[in-house]
Amino acid sequence: MASPVHTLCQTGLVVALLLMARCTCHVGHKEGVRIETIVSPSPGCYKLQSGDFFVTLENITLTDGTVLYTSYLPDGKVVAKRSYLGKRTSGINVGMLGVCKGEVRHLTIPPQLMMGSVQDTENLAATVPVDVQIHYRAEILDVVPQIERSLLQDFLSTDKNGDYVVRANEIERVLEMERGLKRLLQNALGMDNIVELAVQWFDADGDGGLNREEYFTLSQTIQLDQMRKDAKAQYPDEYRNPEKNRALKDEF
Ligand SMILES: [Ca+2]
Ligand SMILES: [Ca+2]
């Protein structure tokens, strides 16, 4: 019969093995980068590919806690970082490939994988000793596939104040510059307050503005790209005064 101490040791071993097994599910290694998943992605989510756009809240620290970069500023502001995968340091490229919106990852990156020719990390070479690991922790706020690049560029250019939400006044500003499009929309819908109504209609979460996904839905539903082409064809006079349009744009 096993002694209580033996049983305790066995139990401890089982718990340790279980913890290790649980940990192994969330930790992987790829090309020298340790990839730990802190918050798992939703099943079936779109996975970040090279060339895709993604938005993160992130911290880059050294093993001793030295902060190299953080989204969390001392004054309490939080500044999300926007990137295209493939234009970042190689260690991050390797570790972030396949990440999903909503996921949180912690990468442990050897310093030589953070440096090299990538501009982002040029100044790290002077900061990071060769024997120190770099810790990159990122919460993924958004992922936009490369195939949706033109929709994304339209969203980012409409988001005049850069808060990643398009509000009615920002669409109004765009329509002040694209008066042909404004006329087309007003004529098609037979009403003047089209912007206010559009924002209300597509504001799925009811926060008063259009986040990236809500704006894409609006854009695709009304076929904004095609409407722009139609507006240019139907109201060419509105597009014949680029100097005036540029002056209006400069005001913003
Ligand atoms: Ca905005
Ligand atoms: Ca919204």
Side-chain angles (χ1 to χ4, degrees), residues 44-180:
C45 60
Y46 176 79
K47 294 178 187 299
L48 183 73
Q49 300 299 310
S50 187
D52 289 352
F53 178 86
F54 65 118
V55 182
T56 52
L57 295 178
E58 61 185 52
N59 280 317
I60 307 178
T61 55
L62 301 183
T63 311
D64 66 2
T66 305
V67 178
L68 299 180
Y69 176 85
T70 181
S71 298
Y72 305 92
L73 305 184
D75 62 4
K77 280 188 192 157
V78 178
V79 181
K81 190 157 188 172
R82 302 171 187 186
S83 318
Y84 290 94
L85 194 72
K87 293 183 178 176
R88 294 287 295 266
T89 53
S90 58
I92 294 176
N93 284 345
V94 168
M96 295 304 281
L97 193 69
V99 80
C100 286
K101 182 179 176 178
E103 191 170 340
V104 179
R105 275 192 187 182
H106 178 176
L107 310 181
T108 308
I109 304 169
Q112 71 273 16
L113 289 178
M114 286 291 280
M115 297 169 193
S117 60
V118 182
Q119 217 173 16
D120 267 6
T121 59
E122 272 181 358
N123 58 355
L124 284 181
T127 319
V128 184
V130 287
D131 56 347
V132 167
Q133 300 283 299
I134 295 165
H135 296 270
Y136 172 84
R137 188 185 191 282
E139 176 183 352
I140 316 305
L141 301 183
D142 199 13
V143 172
V144 183
Q146 192 172 16
I147 198 169
E148 296 180 335
R149 181 73 59 91
S150 66
L151 280 168
L152 175 70
Q153 282 167 348
D154 180 43
F155 170 73
L156 294 176
S157 80
T158 305
D159 175 24
K160 303 290 182 194
N161 70 351
D163 66 352
Y164 215 62
V165 176
V166 163
R167 297 182 195 282
N169 67 324
E170 291 171 321
I171 300 177
E172 291 286 5
R173 286 179 180 184
V174 169
L175 293 181
E176 285 308 312
M177 288 182 278
E178 294 185 57
R179 286 170 300 162

